[in-house]
Amino acid sequence: MPDELILTEIDHVAIAVRDLDAAVDFYQRAFGATVAHREIVDSDGVEEALVKVADSYIQLTAATRDDSPIAKAIEKRGEGLHHIGYRVDDCQAALDAMVAAGATPIDKAPRPGSRGTTVAFIHPKGACGTLIELVQE
Ligand code: CO
């Protein structure tokens, strides 16, 4: 067990959507939400819009190409909750702790994410059925 709590914040809740502009428009009309950051992440084949909620984000995420993980998720399950981003101080240390606890990493090592973050994904199998992203700012 780690000596101290590794999680510092919920970084984001990621929701897979078909139409990013329509999703942003819905969040604006429903919540008066404004987009704090919007970015295309070419390596992941996604475009995301981040709606800030206190120190966390709702990350509306759409696919930019057919082989994107978001495209595959929507094809399988439709739109909806895709993953939870847990904010950590040290992505490598958090990844090591999760693997030591029996989780299966998707990323063997931390890699660049959006907003200049460092991230690593953990497979839902062995992690309570939840796709987890470790996010270091
Ligand atoms: Co994410």
Side-chain angles (χ1 to χ4, degrees), residues 12 59 83 133:
H12 62 274
Q59 182 190 78
H83 65 271
E133 180 182 11

Side-chain angles (χ1 to χ4, degrees), residues 73-124:
I74 288 176
E75 194 179 303
K76 257 200 227 163
R77 301 186 296 271
E79 292 185 309
L81 192 58
H82 186 259
H83 65 271
I84 311 284
Y86 292 148
R87 197 175 299 155
V88 297
D89 287 332
D90 182 335
C91 193
Q92 181 70 65
L95 182 59
D96 291 346
M98 289 208 73
V99 170
T104 304
I106 293 172
D107 296 303
K108 305 282 183 227
R111 62 180 177 85
S114 65
R115 283 182 287 140
T117 57
T118 299
V119 305
F121 278 88
I122 305 291
H123 201 282

Side-chain angles (χ1 to χ4, degrees), residues 10-15 17 20-39 48-61 87 114-115:
I10 303 296
D11 186 82
H12 62 274
V13 173
I15 299 169
V17 301
L20 191 55
D21 288 326
V24 166
D25 178 64
F26 173 72
Y27 269 73
Q28 282 173 341
R29 286 183 294 108
F31 299 118
T34 55
V35 172
H37 182 80
R38 188 160 168 155
E39 181 174 341
E48 54 187 53
L50 296 173
V51 173
K52 205 165 193 313
V53 182
D55 287 329
S56 303
Y57 299 95
I58 297 164
Q59 182 190 78
L60 303 169
T61 309
R87 197 175 299 155
S114 65
R115 283 182 287 140

